Amino acid sequence: MITGKWRRRLAKLGLYLPLTMAAIAVLFPLVFAVGTSLTSPADQGTYPPKLMSWPPYFKSYPEALTIAPIGRFIWNSFIISTAVTLGQLVTASLAAFAFSFLQFRGRNLVFYIFLSTMMIPAEATLVPNYLTVRALAWTDNYLGFTVPFLATAFGTFLLRQFFLQLPRELYDAARIDGASPFRFYWQVVLPLSRPALATLGVYSFLHTYNMYLWPLLITNSEKMRTVQIGIRMLMWDEALDWNRVMAGVAMVILPSILLLIFGQKQLIRGLTAGALKG
Amino acid sequence: MAHVKIEGLNKFYGSKHVVKDVNLEVAQGEFLTLLGPSGCGKSTTLRMVAGFETIDAGKVYLHGKDISGVPANRRGIGMVFQSYALFPNMSALDNVAFGLRMQKAAAGTIREKSVKMLAEVGLEQVMEQFPYQLSGGQQQRVALARALVREPEVLLLDEPLSALDAKIRIQLRELIKDIQQRHKITTIYVTHDQEEALSISDRIAVMDKGKVVQLGAPDEIYARPANRFVATFVGTLNQLTGQIVDGARGVLDVAGQKLTVPTLAGKSGQVAVGVRPEKIRVLLNGAAAEAGEVALQGTLKSAALLGTIVRVTAEVGGAEVKVDVLNNSRLPGLTPGAQLSLGISQENLMVLE
């Protein structure tokens, strides 16, 4: 006979066992990458395979940095991702504010047209965007990296859904107190929408940070390359040293992991906002 | 000249005509209540006065000046909302100060006026707290202070008490009335609660299906309702339906009992008359009806103690008649099924059209 205490323990086991397995599956590539980066060239290819050398082989990191200027790539990616994130937060929040609080003819139609752009595959816009950027002489330039991504339909949709949850009477109260729509947006809507803004910020940063095809397309010089291309450069070396590649990967993913660690609370709140009505 | 004049106001939502030709005048310092059931157009009318809704036809005048096209923030109006509408990210003090900041008042003045206003509504102790730290009643007080701190010409209140419990509601409505009289501010108040409207207003405009069906002082609305809707919506009303059997004298036959109602003289057919519960006397110990009174015989169904009054429910010819009797313990033990004699003064019988 299973007592209540054991039933609770079994229920916990039923919950934590799959969660632990999922966590291992998610974390394994990361642990494997860091472990490989700390493996000496001599220990690579041994059987049975080693997760890492002992003592750890830290030289992979300076070696990786001599093969490709990873620091410069991280800097480029960081600048571009920050600029795109800030741009998207500004444009998406303003557009979302207009679509949720301002009354104008054809508002819903414009919003649906805006939304429908999400259905266009990014690959389909690649060539026209490239031609435009080239015509503007923005190739090999931060402008070419950032300007095409400053507005986002997804971000506008995400923030609009959040803004629609704010009581309409707040807007009326602000208006009758003499506030302009922008003042209401700035002093009330933005402070109340921090979870949604953080969600969009984290999403946008990571998405831009991990871009590969577009930076590859519009950059010619090495000093303008971004991190994903940098990793690829490590793999173009004559001998493929996985410890160096993984050292590069470990350095490159560090900002993303830090962002996720510090932003996960807001990210979850933002993504689940409106999912449950309490 | 009326302080606020509403002239021929109309509003459509698609094909739905929600406000139909509303005409009202509110004097300086007057407290006017728009009273009606949900969906009667009272809040929409108020929102058109505030400038939150576009006006499809008609005009709103303030001091004789047409403000129909003036944006809400330039109308000189303060408003209190049902949901309080306090900014959650600001303290009580900052909420009250918000309007003054928008007016670009001096920092010292902003603080001085806001603190004074919060003190007036009894909240100086909690002015640094955020809305989520305040009770519903306190939040609505902050909302009232916020609406008044800019010294608006007109104060609008849209069902401000309906989210509060009964006791707080009574306290707050007294506070609202007190502050309104102290500031002598012209006020338009929206509610569906007839007791609230009767207790607080100088005049009441009863609305039904987008129209003002009666405008008058509370006692006038209660005692002389313009039609059956007003009579039944405002207060409790007993309705007795019968056939006129003597048109010359106005004698009505209600389930075999004859009632002489002089105001029915000259009428014929089936009519309904109404009488308020407190206007009916229970005739004790076989007492006869007095001169000018009609007597009805009924059977006692129940007697419920409601505090200061006892509500007696009797059945008269298949209809339920409620009688409110002061709880002064002079009533004998009322047992269901007992025969009752009820006396109604003829002048208290209203013909329901």
Side-chain angles (χ1 to χ4, degrees):
Chain A
M1 180 106 178
I2 299 172
T3 61
K5 191 178 165 187
W6 277 102
R7 192 174 291 130
R8 278 195 298 277
R9 283 184 179 177
L10 280 174
K12 266 192 179 176
L13 189 70
L15 178 69
Y16 282 103
L17 194 66
L19 283 176
T20 308
M21 287 165 69
I24 290 170
V26 169
L27 284 175
F28 182 73
L30 189 65
V31 173
F32 180 75
V34 175
T36 307
S37 75
L38 299 173
T39 306
S40 67
D43 284 339
Q44 284 183 63
T46 55
Y47 189 84
K50 287 182 177 176
L51 187 62
M52 61 181 278
S53 298
W54 193 258
Y57 183 78
F58 290 107
K59 282 184 185 166
S60 321
Y61 287 84
E63 284 166 10
L65 288 168
T66 52
I67 296 166
I70 300 283
R72 171 74 196 187
F73 298 158
I74 291 176
W75 175 249
N76 283 343
S77 286
F78 185 78
I79 293 287
I80 293 160
S81 303
T82 306
V84 169
T85 302
L86 292 177
Q88 287 195 359
L89 286 175
V90 171
T91 57
S93 63
L94 282 169
F97 178 77
F99 287 131
S100 42
F101 284 101
L102 304 184
Q103 300 288 341
F104 54 90
R105 195 179 289 271
R107 187 178 76 163
N108 288 341
L109 180 71
V110 175
F111 176 67
Y112 292 132
I113 292 171
F114 209 79
L115 210 58
S116 66
T117 61
M118 283 171 72
M119 292 172 205
I120 303 170
E123 290 76 13
T125 61
L126 213 59
V127 173
N129 272 351
Y130 174 72
L131 295 175
T132 310
V133 163
R134 197 184 61 179
L136 291 165
W138 283 356
T139 52
D140 234 12
N141 188 316
Y142 284 137
L143 286 171
F145 280 112
T146 51
V147 174
F149 305 102
L150 289 182
T152 156
F154 167 74
T156 306
F157 173 70
L158 182 82
L159 294 184
R160 176 186 175 265
Q161 295 313 104
F162 191 88
F163 291 175
L164 286 176
Q165 292 180 63
L166 301 175
R168 176 86 200 171
E169 286 188 340
L170 286 182
Y171 185 47
D172 292 341
R175 276 166 73 200
I176 209 156
D177 263 357
S180 63
F182 184 78
R183 175 76 71 163
F184 174 68
Y185 158 82
W186 187 252
Q187 286 206 308
V188 181
V189 174
L190 290 188
L192 292 178
S193 307
R194 273 183 304 208
L197 293 169
T199 305
L200 178 61
V202 170
Y203 172 83
S204 162
F205 190 93
L206 293 180
H207 187 260
T208 314
Y209 195 80
N210 291 325
M211 272 200 299
Y212 177 74
L213 199 54
W214 180 253
L216 184 68
L217 200 63
I218 67 157
T219 52
N220 301 318
S221 63
E222 192 177 285
K223 70 178 176 57
M224 288 308 291
R225 299 283 194 198
T226 56
V227 287
Q228 301 303 332
I229 303 165
I231 293 168
R232 186 76 197 150
M233 280 171 75
L234 293 172
M235 296 172 78
W236 288 342
D237 201 16
E238 285 174 7
L240 184 59
D241 285 325
W242 281 110
N243 60 333
R244 290 174 188 168
V245 175
M246 290 305 166
V249 168
M251 285 187 278
V252 158
I253 60 172
L254 198 62
S256 311
I257 289 173
L258 288 176
L259 192 67
L260 264 180
I261 289 170
F262 293 113
Q264 65 169 337
K265 196 174 158 189
Q266 301 278 11
L267 192 71
I268 293 165
R269 275 176 64 190
L271 284 174
T272 55
L276 286 171
K277 200 172 172 162
Chain B
M1 183 197 292
H3 191 193
V4 179
K5 186 178 175 190
I6 297 168
E7 194 179 82
L9 219 54
N10 281 274
K11 180 72 187 171
F12 292 85
Y13 287 134
S15 60
K16 205 172 169 199
H17 198 175
V18 289
V19 174
K20 299 171 186 166
D21 206 26
V22 167
N23 292 283
L24 288 168
E25 290 192 3
V26 194
Q28 173 78 51
E30 189 182 16
F31 196 118
L32 177 89
T33 295
L34 301 179
L35 172 68
S38 295
C40 72
K42 56 190 189 302
S43 285
T44 309
T45 303
L46 194 79
R47 289 177 62 79
M48 284 193 278
V49 175
F52 297 145
E53 296 283 352
T54 51
I55 297 171
D56 291 333
K59 303 257 187 231
V60 177
Y61 297 92
L62 185 64
H63 272 313
K65 189 183 155 204
D66 182 6
I67 57 162
S68 312
V70 177
N73 56 349
R74 294 202 201 121
R75 291 192 179 196
I77 285 174
M79 185 154 171
V80 179
F81 300 86
Q82 182 179 357
S83 64
Y84 324 133
L86 296 179
F87 307 126
N89 56 319
M90 296 181 199
S91 67
L93 183 65
D94 285 338
N95 264 282
V96 176
F98 186 81
L100 294 172
R101 289 205 179 102
M102 294 305 107
Q103 284 181 336
K104 295 188 170 44
T109 313
I110 292 173
R111 186 168 172 90
E112 186 193 328
K113 281 190 171 181
S114 304
V115 171
K116 193 177 157 201
M117 203 61 239
L118 277 166
E120 199 170 336
V121 296
L123 289 181
E124 66 270 46
Q125 303 299 324
V126 295
M127 61 187 188
E128 298 299 343
Q129 294 192 8
F130 284 82
Y132 69 88
Q133 296 171 308
L134 303 172
S135 68
Q138 287 175 322
Q139 288 187 54
Q140 201 55 298
R141 282 168 192 247
V142 175
L144 183 63
R146 181 179 65 180
L148 287 168
V149 76
R150 291 184 306 123
E151 296 167 14
E153 286 205 52
V154 180
L155 177 64
L156 308 178
L157 301 106
D158 189 4
E159 307 235 22
L161 309 180
S162 55
L164 303 170
D165 65 49
K167 210 165 183 179
I168 303 291
R169 216 157 49 212
I170 293 169
Q171 284 173 4
L172 255 179
R173 88 180 175 212
E174 284 166 3
L175 178 77
I176 289 170
K177 184 69 182 173
D178 181 45
I179 287 178
Q180 186 265 338
Q181 286 181 333
R182 224 179 305 146
H183 288 255
K184 295 184 176 61
I185 185 168
T186 307
T187 302
I188 306 178
Y189 189 97
V190 161
T191 183
H192 64 271
D193 183 332
Q194 40 95 14
E195 188 191 314
E196 203 169 285
L198 292 171
S199 66
I200 206 170
S201 321
D202 294 326
R203 281 192 307 154
I204 298 172
V206 184
M207 291 187 70
D208 181 33
K209 293 172 189 154
K211 285 181 182 170
V212 174
V213 288
Q214 189 173 7
L215 175 66
D219 54 348
E220 187 187 335
I221 299 277
Y222 188 74
R224 291 186 295 283
N227 59 24
R228 189 189 291 241
F229 169 78
V230 179
T232 51
F233 186 74
V234 181
T236 307
L237 188 83
N238 294 301
Q239 293 185 56
L240 299 165
T241 306
Q243 191 74 29
I244 294 180
V245 289
D246 182 350
R249 289 170 52 231
V251 179
L252 188 68
D253 183 324
V254 178
Q257 301 193 53
K258 304 284 188 292
L259 270 73
T260 305
V261 186
T263 46
L264 285 177
K267 295 189 174 172
S268 61
Q270 197 174 52
V271 293
V273 290
V275 61
R276 301 284 184 199
E278 72 278 11
K279 301 290 185 189
I280 305 176
R281 286 200 307 137
V282 178
L283 304 174
L284 296 169
N285 305 321
E290 292 173 357
E293 255 187 353
V294 293
L296 281 174
Q297 305 306 316
T299 310
L300 180 73
K301 282 183 77 178
S302 64
L305 178 64
L306 303 180
T308 50
I309 60 161
V310 176
R311 173 152 290 179
V312 177
T313 306
E315 191 186 320
V316 177
E320 214 170 62
V321 173
K322 290 184 169 62
V323 184
D324 285 346
V325 185
L326 262 182
N327 181 20
N328 56 12
S329 68
R330 282 188 304 170
L331 276 176
L334 295 167
T335 44
Q339 292 302 302
L340 276 183
S341 196
L342 306 171
I344 307 167
S345 170
Q346 286 171 329
E347 66 183 24
N348 288 328
L349 282 164
M350 307 173 232
V351 179
L352 302 175
E353 314 253 9

